C-alpha cells in the first residue's frame, strides 16, 4: 500500500510537470516557426535570457515586492484573527459588520489602489495597506466559518464543564478553526502578490509592478513575462511554506 501511495504522489508531481514542459516546448516551436516578434510574444528562451542578463535588477525589485507582501500578509493574519475573536465574543458586532465585509470585497483592487496612493503616498505604506485590504477577508471568513461549524455537542460539553468564553475559545474554537483558517491563508497568499503588484503599477519607485509598467511601455514583453513568472513562483513558494507550517502546527488533524 505504501508503494502505491508513493507512486500516486509521484504521478501527481510528474503529470503536471510533463504538461508544463510540453506547453513550453510547443510555445518555443510556435514562436520560432512562425517568426513571432518578441514585442508581441517572446519565446521561453527570451524570457530565460532576461533572467540571466537582468537577474540583479529583477532581484532588487523582487526584494521590494516581497517586503511589501510579507508585511501586509503578516498584518492581515493578525487583523483577521483579532476581528474573528471580537466577533465571536460580541455577536452583535458580527451581525452588524459581517454583511458589510462582503460588500467591501466586491470593490476591485484596481479602484482602491489609486486612493491609497493619494492618501498614503508612493512609499511602502500604501502597498502594505492594499495587501491587507485584499488578504484579510478570506482568512477572516474561513476563521469564522471554522468556529461556526464546530459540533454543538463539543460546545455543550464545554458548557457542562463550566468553561467560560475565553477558555472555550482558546481550547476548542481556535484550534478547531485553524484548518479552515489555513485554507483562507493559502488563498490570501496568492492574492497578496497580486495586490502588491497592482499597487506598484499605480505609483511607486521600485517593485515588480513598477518594473512591469516600465517594460510594457518599451514593449519589452520578455521583461513583463519574467516579472509575471516571478510573481507566480513567489506565490507557489508561499503556498508551499504555509502547507508545511500547517502540518507542523496542527498535527492532531
Amino acid at each position: 500500500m505504501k508503494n502505491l501511495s508513493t507512486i500516486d504522489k509521484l504521478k501527481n508531481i510528474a503529470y503536471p510537470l510533463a504538461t508544463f514542459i510540453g506547453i513550453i516546448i510547443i510555445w518555443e516551436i510556435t514562436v520560432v516557426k512562425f517568426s513571432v516578434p518578441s514585442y508581441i510574444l517572446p519565446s521561453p528562451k527570451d524570457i530565460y535570457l532576461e533572467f540571466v542578463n537582468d537577474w540583479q535588477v529583477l532581484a532588487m525589485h523582487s526584494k521590494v515586492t516581497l517586503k511589501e507582501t510579507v508585511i501586509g500578509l503578516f498584518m492581515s493574519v493578525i487583523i483577521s484573527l483579532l476581528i474573528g475573536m471580537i466577533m465571536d465574543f460580541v455577536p452583535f458586532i458580527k451581525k452588524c459588520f459581517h454583511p458589510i465585509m462582503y460588500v467591501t470585497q466586491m470593490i476591485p483592487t484596481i479602484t482602491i489602489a489609486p486612493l491609497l496612493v493619494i492618501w498614503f503616498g508612493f512609499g511602502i505604506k500604501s502597498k502594505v495597506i492594499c495587501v491587507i485590504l485584499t488578504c484579510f477577508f478570506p482568512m477572516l471568513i474561513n476563521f469564522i466559518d471554522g468556529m461556526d461549524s464546530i459540533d454543538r455537542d463539543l460546545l455543550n460539553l464545554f458548557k457542562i464543564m463550566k468553561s467560560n468564553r475565553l477558555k472555550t475559545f482558546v481550547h476548542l474554537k481556535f484550534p478547531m478553526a485553524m484548518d479552515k483558517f489555513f485554507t483562507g491563508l493559502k488563498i490570501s497568499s496568492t492574492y497578496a502578490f497580486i495586490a502588491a503588484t497592482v499597487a506598484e503599477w499605480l505609483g511607486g519607485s521600485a517593485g515588480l509592478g513598477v518594473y512591469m509598467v516600465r517594460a510594457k511601455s518599451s514593449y519589452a514583453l520578455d521583461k513583463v513575462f519574467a516579472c509575471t513568472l516571478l510573481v507566480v513562483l513567489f506565490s507557489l513558494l508561499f503556498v508551499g511554506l504555509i502547507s508545511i507550517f500547517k502540518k507542523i502546527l496542527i498535527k492532531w488533524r
Side-chain angles (χ1 to χ4, degrees):
M1 291 298 291
K2 288 184 178 179
N3 290 334
L4 289 174
S5 177
T6 303
I7 291 171
D8 287 338
K9 289 181 180 179
L10 290 174
K11 285 181 178 179
N12 291 335
I13 297 173
Y15 288 167
L17 182 62
T19 303
F20 177 75
I21 293 173
I23 292 171
I24 295 298
I25 293 172
I26 294 171
W27 181 359
E28 180 72 30
I29 292 172
T30 302
V31 170
V32 173
K33 184 176 181 180
F34 293 98
S35 301
V36 181
S38 61
Y39 62 83
I40 294 178
L41 180 65
S43 67
K45 182 181 177 181
D46 294 330
I47 299 170
Y48 169 74
L49 291 175
E50 170 61 23
F51 276 108
V52 173
N53 298 328
D54 288 347
W55 67 269
Q56 289 182 326
V57 177
L58 289 170
M60 184 271 290
H61 287 288
S62 296
K63 287 179 182 177
V64 175
T65 303
L66 275 171
K67 182 179 179 181
E68 295 164 355
T69 305
V70 170
I71 295 173
L73 194 59
F74 177 76
M75 293 182 69
S76 298
V77 170
I78 302 299
I79 291 170
S80 60
L81 290 175
L82 285 175
I83 295 176
M85 183 177 178
I86 292 169
M87 286 185 170
D88 182 67
F89 276 81
V90 188
F92 174 75
I93 294 178
K94 181 180 178 181
K95 290 179 181 179
C96 291
F97 291 97
H98 195 259
I100 296 175
M101 288 184 179
Y102 281 96
V103 175
T104 61
Q105 294 304 301
M106 296 175 188
I107 303 172
T109 305
I110 196 73
T111 62
I112 298 175
L115 297 175
L116 296 177
V117 171
I118 293 171
W119 293 338
F120 300 102
F122 292 94
I124 189 173
K125 189 184 295 184
S126 59
K127 282 71 174 178
V128 169
I129 293 173
C130 187
V131 173
I132 292 171
L133 292 175
T134 305
C135 293
F136 89 95
F137 182 77
M139 287 184 279
L140 175 61
I141 293 302
N142 278 274
F143 185 47
I144 292 172
D145 286 347
M147 291 189 290
D148 289 343
S149 62
I150 294 173
D151 194 335
R152 297 301 304 177
D153 291 337
L154 290 173
L155 293 170
N156 291 331
L157 176 62
F158 270 70
K159 287 181 181 179
I160 293 171
M161 297 172 67
K162 296 182 179 181
S163 174
N164 58 33
R165 277 179 171 271
L166 181 60
K167 288 182 179 179
T168 302
F169 177 83
V170 172
H171 297 290
L172 177 63
K173 290 186 175 182
F174 185 80
M176 293 292 287
M178 280 296 97
D179 191 34
K180 286 196 173 183
F181 175 79
F182 272 99
T183 301
L185 181 56
K186 285 182 181 180
I187 297 170
S188 296
S189 66
T190 59
Y191 290 165
F193 283 97
I194 297 172
T197 305
V198 169
E200 289 169 351
W201 283 352
L202 301 171
S205 57
L208 291 175
V210 175
Y211 189 67
M212 288 173 73
V213 171
R214 293 172 182 172
K216 178 181 70 67
S217 300
S218 58
Y219 293 94
L221 293 193
D222 53 342
K223 300 180 188 295
V224 175
F225 272 86
C227 290
T228 304
L229 182 59
L230 280 174
V231 171
V232 173
L233 291 175
F234 288 143
S235 298
L236 290 173
L237 176 62
F238 270 49
V239 171
L241 291 174
I242 291 167
S243 298
I244 294 170
F245 186 64
K246 176 185 175 181
K247 290 180 180 179
I248 294 172
L249 188 64
I250 50 178
K251 293 180 180 178
W252 58 273
R253 298 291 292 184

